[in-house]
Amino acid sequence: RLRDWKLGVIYRECALVLPIGKRSREHYKRLGVPKEKMIDSPYCVDESSFLWDEDSRLKCRETIRKELEDRISDMGYGMLKTLILFSGKLVWRKGPDLLVEAVGRLKKEGEDVGIVFCGSGEMEEELKRRCGELKIPAVFMGFVNQSGLSEVYHACDLFCLPSRQGETWGLVVNGALLHGLPVVVSEAVGCAPDLVVSDECGEIFQTGQVEALAIGVKNVIQKGLSLERREICRKAVEPYSTQRAAEGISRALK
């Protein structure tokens, strides 16, 4: 209550506020900011720093996919139909262990699926151990610089961010959709109501629920990753561009 009161005082002193998405707008509204004081400036990634289009996918995917499959083959696994990408810190609040457990369930159901982890963190050894126990093909790439992320996005088939808490937005979801990857995110991910439309560009599952996550991933896999689906994903994130963000700031200044 004290925090809300303090924020309300601060917001009343602002000439305008710039909501970055739906939950941001709801937050300002709840604390008494009138609609006429809000100008949208959507949260975004810098598209120019990625090789995200179809031409780039054709150039990148085959080579990097083969490298990932070779690493999986060295672990004793065969070719995989689906690779799920997780990109972020390997910590409890991000929920990478939930993804491992969900994929373990899918493997028991006969799904041909593996995981690519981009990032490092305190849970890495635990995740490796659990993937071994569940016989899940998993590649741990460590930290990947943004300049190399496009290749990894293109090499994978879908993206998952199963955060438990603290995910105020989740810019990696913008990046995944920009590259044409459908996404599976928890309700705790801030951008979920803005970017994720079930049955179109991905699925939203109940936070912390492994079974719900497994169902969401399975639904996305069954719908496939056609060119049409990739274009739907890119279309979903199109309004959340640097151009739109800049236009919002410009309108506010004027």
Side-chain angles (χ1 to χ4, degrees):
R1 287 196 296 270
L2 180 61
R3 180 177 179 273
D4 282 356
W5 171 79
K6 183 63 175 176
L7 286 173
V9 170
I10 293 171
Y11 295 158
R12 282 194 294 274
E13 294 301 312
C14 296
L16 295 166
V17 297
L18 301 169
I20 62 171
K22 291 179 180 178
R23 287 181 179 170
S24 174
R25 179 171 277 274
E26 289 168 1
H27 165 79
Y28 286 130
K29 181 180 178 182
R30 181 176 66 84
L31 295 181
V33 179
K35 183 178 179 180
E36 58 270 19
K37 284 184 66 172
M38 298 188 214
I39 295 181
D40 292 329
S41 181
Y43 215 30
C44 60
V45 292
D46 181 5
E47 306 93 330
S48 65
S49 63
F50 292 111
L51 302 170
W52 54 269
D53 60 6
E54 278 298 305
D55 287 342
S56 298
R57 184 178 188 273
L58 290 172
K59 293 173 184 175
C60 296
R61 181 174 169 85
E62 186 175 350
T63 301
I64 307 303
R65 180 67 173 232
K66 186 177 185 307
E67 289 181 11
L68 293 173
E69 288 178 343
D70 285 346
R71 290 179 65 173
I72 289 169
S73 178
D74 290 342
M75 301 173 200
Y77 299 103
M79 298 284 284
L80 294 173
K81 179 182 176 183
T82 306
L83 280 179
I84 303 171
L85 176 61
F86 173 96
S87 180
K89 292 181 179 179
L90 303 181
V91 294
W92 182 85
R93 69 178 181 85
K94 293 278 188 179
D97 54 312
L98 298 174
L99 177 58
V100 170
E101 297 301 324
V103 170
R105 294 192 182 200
L106 293 173
K107 294 288 287 182
K108 288 181 179 179
E109 295 175 10
E111 292 290 341
D112 189 14
V113 61
I115 310 173
V116 175
F117 289 99
C118 281
S120 59
E122 61 197 37
M123 293 188 74
E124 184 168 342
E125 292 306 314
E126 177 187 338
L127 294 169
K128 288 179 178 178
R129 177 186 58 78
R130 190 59 177 148
C131 284
E133 291 173 351
L134 296 174
K135 294 181 170 52
I136 296 172
V139 177
F140 289 81
M141 302 187 70
F143 173 76
V144 177
N145 192 283
Q146 185 165 298
S147 61
L149 271 177
S150 283
E151 294 180 341
V152 183
Y153 278 125
H154 288 311
C156 295
D157 302 295
L158 66 98
F159 181 86
C160 184
L161 186 61
S163 301
R164 289 182 170 96
Q165 62 185 38
E167 203 67 66
T168 51
W169 183 265
L171 280 175
V172 285
V173 177
N174 293 60
L177 291 169
L178 186 65
H179 287 81
L181 267 67
V183 299
V184 180
V185 303
S186 71
E187 292 173 340
V189 175
C191 68
D194 292 87
L195 299 180
V196 187
V197 180
S198 294
D199 293 329
E200 291 187 15
C201 60
E203 297 286 344
I204 303 171
F205 72 95
Q206 186 178 356
T207 303
Q209 299 299 310
V210 171
E211 184 176 356
L213 171 53
I215 291 171
V217 170
K218 189 170 184 176
N219 287 344
V220 171
I221 291 172
Q222 289 177 341
K223 290 182 175 64
L225 185 63
S226 62
L227 172 59
E228 181 183 6
R229 191 89 187 278
R230 292 195 295 275
E231 290 304 324
I232 289 172
C233 291
R234 292 183 179 118
K235 196 75 175 176
V237 78
E238 195 175 86
Y240 296 80
S241 65
T242 49
Q243 178 68 29
R244 293 284 181 88
E247 287 172 357
I249 295 169
S250 177
R251 285 199 303 274
L253 288 170
K254 288 177 181 177

